[in-house]
Structures are given as structure tokens and as C-alpha cells.
Amino acid sequence: MPAPASPSPAPADFPATTASELIAAHGGRVTRTRVAVIEALQSAAHPLSHDEVGVALTDAGIAHDRVTLYRALEWLVDKGIAQRIAASERAWRFEIRRGGEHRHAHFHCDRCGQVLCLEDVPSDSRPALPAGFELDRSELVLHGACADCGRRGVKMEAP
Amino acid sequence: MPAPASPSPAPADFPATTASELIAAHGGRVTRTRVAVIEALQSAAHPLSHDEVGVALTDAGIAHDRVTLYRALEWLVDKGIAQRIAASERAWRFEIRRGGEHRHAHFHCDRCGQVLCLEDVPSDSRPALPAGFELDRSELVLHGACADCGRRGVKMEAP
DNA sequence: GTTTCAAATGCTACAATGTTGCATCAAAAC
DNA sequence: GTTTTGATGCAACATTGTAGCATTTGAAAC
């Protein structure tokens, strides 16, 4: 039997809270970039795109390379510290995995492109699958217009 | 109040069945490319990526430009004949919208990248949203390993 | 059957997002 | 302080999707 399709070889729920502790607990080197990325994700109100993380690093005065940022995010996902969301468009978005690890749904505004966490809406449906299929996780993404765009009649983006 | 976030200004469920009828019913010109794209989607066992549609056209002996194909698919989505799925990765996948228009969930194999329709699993959850939000549709995507990959232990792709 | 004309197409060029390879740097172990 | 190797920075490239514009063509009008 093959390995399960879990992205995280290490346990995801650590007592550690600070960025440095999180990194060290997973056997990684504590670098400026990683610390800043984690802090950016932790303090963000919604899942961030790679580009938004980059802006956050720049704002924090942390010089960084585009590729390094991709690799830092990839490492975080690999270790189960963060997770990717394919809400829409071509760009991934990233968010920190909280302790309880309750997967929630996301809302994608088709007008402004922003993504919000719907903490109250679970995303854990586990329906019966055809024989031989292994279920790892489920992602529920709701689409529509957010409150801001709904009010202001912002131009519609491709669905 | 702004226009609703629906992608389809025209009714989606036509009695028409052939590609030409579908196109004409939406006021479009019946071209080789559009007909071939619709037929490719109709006969596909799963949602096709832009690239897979391109291969199907080539196999059918239909010369086509990359951009034309993008525009043909965009037109189909615009008219509600087809719909886009953001299963994972950066590439959209496309499928024909059947008459009944029951939205179903999809399964994305994280190993081979293939996407399957789960016709029996509905994707129509309509939870309560924060005030001011307008819900258009919901997309449920399950992730894991398909039967083929599960059996053969194919190398894991990025989650 | 011709003519007409906007809708489609096919270029070319470009933008956005992500990856690979490799030389260099630095975190942490000694 | 040295050493080791994980992490970074750079350049080059791959994939996916868009924009502008000249040309072709579907189909409606004649």
C-alpha cells in the first residue's frame, strides 16, 4: 500500500506559538525570511497570495528573492505549518494551520478577487468515493461578491 | 443593487443537443473550432484542461491557435454552455453544463493531477454568509489519490 | 450566387505565476 | 573559530493566460 496522500510528514499541532519555535520544531533553520513569512501569515486577516506575502516582507524591511519566497512557502506547506488554497485564478493563497486543525471553507469574491476564511463553515465532507480512491482532504470554496464589492458594484471578474 | 454574479446572461438548459444547435441557440457563429471544442468536452469522461482540449482538436484534425482556443472556451463559459473548475494547479478545467444543471463535486488526484466528476456528490452548499455577501455558487473539490495512483504508488505531486 | 460586414480567428507580443540549476552565504553544530 | 549543509540569490526557463490588431469567414442581405 502506498503512502497516504497527506502533505505533512510531521505532526501539525505543536504547542509552539512563535515563528521561530514553529520552524525549529520542524527541524528547519530559523531564517529572517521564514520568520517574517510566518508572522505575515499569522497576522493576516485572510489567506495571502505569494505576492501579498512579498509585499508584507518588503513592508517589514526584509529583503527577499521571489524564488526564496516560493521555497519558504513550499517548505511551510510541506511541514504542515501552512496550507495552500486554490480559491480561483492561477495563484495559490496561503494560510497558517491553526492548532485545532478544523478545516474551514473559503469565500472568493469574483469581483475583487479577495479570499476570506469562513471559520464557521466546515470543509470536511467525506462522501463515499469509488473503490480504490483515497481521500485526503476536501476544499469548499464559495463564490460570489463580498460586502464591499456588492455595495459598490465593482466590475465583474472572470468567473 | 448591482447585477448578480451569475456568469450566464442566457438560459443554460436548452433542448438543443448538438454542438451546432447549442452555439446557434446562444447567438454565436458556428465555427469548426467551437463545434470541435464542444464535442471534445461532451465526449470527455472528465473535465478537460485547455491543453487537453487542444490535443483533442489536433487529434480531430482541426487546426487551431492557442489564443482562439482560450477565447472559444471563454465564450462557452460566458454563455453558460460550459463551466470552469479550479480544481488545483494553475490551469482551469472545463466541462459541459448538462441540462439539469445539478452542480457536483470533483475529485482531484494529487498524484497524477487528473480531475474526476463526482456526479453523486452535490456541490450546492449555501451556508449563511456575513451581511452584505452575495453567494453565486459553491465548489467542492476533494483531494487524494485516485484508484490508479493508489494502486501503483505514483510519486506525490505538490498538494 | 454575390456582396457585405461584424464576429471569429491567427498572429505577435506581453504579463503573471511558478520552477530549475548552480554558485554563494550563513545557521547551528562542533 | 571552523565546519557543514540547509537556505538563499541570481539567471534562465516553463506554463498559463491576455491584449492589440490585421485578416478571414459565417451567415444575413441582396
Side-chain angles (χ1 to χ4, degrees):
Chain A
M1 180 174 169
S6 164
S8 168
D13 46 346
F14 272 78
T17 44
T18 73
S20 301
E21 286 169 336
L22 264 175
I23 298 169
H26 284 87
R29 286 188 182 170
V30 179
T31 65
R32 280 174 316 159
T33 309
R34 281 182 184 165
V35 170
V37 168
I38 290 178
E39 288 174 349
L41 293 180
Q42 280 177 331
S43 64
H46 54 84
L48 299 181
S49 66
H50 161 271
D51 196 55
E52 288 171 328
V53 176
V55 170
L57 292 216
T58 301
D59 287 352
I62 310 282
H64 61 283
D65 180 66
R66 229 164 51 86
V67 178
T68 302
L69 189 42
Y70 276 111
R71 291 199 266 233
L73 287 167
E74 189 183 13
W75 185 85
L76 293 180
V77 171
D78 224 49
K79 296 303 183 189
I81 298 172
Q83 63 189 5
R84 267 192 263 248
I85 305 156
S88 191
E89 291 128 10
R90 284 165 294 157
W92 294 108
R93 285 173 179 274
F94 299 85
E95 70 180 350
I96 288 288
R97 281 173 84 179
R98 312 281 175 186
E101 186 45 30
H102 90 287
R103 283 203 171 259
H104 54 265
H106 293 93
F107 182 90
H108 176 266
C109 178
D110 289 335
R111 303 192 192 187
C112 67
Q114 198 49 265
V115 174
L116 282 87
C117 298
L118 300 173
E119 302 280 356
D120 300 333
V121 183
S123 172
D124 59 357
S125 86
R126 306 191 74 81
L129 291 177
F133 281 65
E134 295 169 23
L135 181 60
D136 171 37
R137 70 191 189 283
S138 51
E139 286 193 9
L140 176 61
V141 181
L142 309 181
H143 291 259
C146 70
D148 282 352
C149 291
R151 265 198 296 276
R152 295 185 308 207
V154 176
K155 196 191 66 170
M156 186 74 179
E157 181 185 290
Chain B
M1 181 175 169
S6 164
S8 166
D13 45 346
F14 272 80
T17 43
T18 73
S20 302
E21 285 170 334
L22 264 176
I23 298 169
H26 284 86
R29 285 188 181 170
V30 179
T31 65
R32 281 174 314 161
T33 309
R34 281 182 183 166
V35 170
V37 168
I38 291 179
E39 288 174 348
L41 293 180
Q42 282 178 330
S43 63
H46 54 83
L48 299 181
S49 65
H50 162 270
D51 196 55
E52 287 171 329
V53 176
V55 170
L57 292 215
T58 301
D59 288 352
I62 310 281
H64 62 283
D65 180 67
R66 227 165 52 87
V67 178
T68 301
L69 189 41
Y70 275 112
R71 290 200 267 232
L73 287 166
E74 189 183 14
W75 186 84
L76 294 179
V77 171
D78 224 48
K79 296 304 181 187
I81 299 173
Q83 63 189 6
R84 268 190 262 248
I85 306 156
S88 193
E89 292 129 9
R90 283 166 294 154
W92 294 108
R93 286 174 177 273
F94 299 85
E95 71 181 350
I96 289 288
R97 281 174 84 180
R98 312 282 176 186
E101 186 45 30
H102 90 287
R103 282 203 171 261
H104 54 264
H106 293 92
F107 183 90
H108 176 265
C109 178
D110 289 334
R111 303 192 192 186
C112 68
Q114 198 49 264
V115 174
L116 283 88
C117 297
L118 299 172
E119 303 280 356
D120 299 335
V121 183
S123 172
D124 58 358
S125 85
R126 308 190 73 81
L129 291 177
F133 281 65
E134 295 169 23
L135 181 60
D136 173 36
R137 68 192 190 283
S138 51
E139 286 193 10
L140 176 61
V141 180
L142 310 181
H143 291 260
C146 70
D148 282 352
C149 292
R151 266 197 296 277
R152 295 186 308 207
V154 176
K155 197 191 67 170
M156 187 75 179
E157 181 186 291

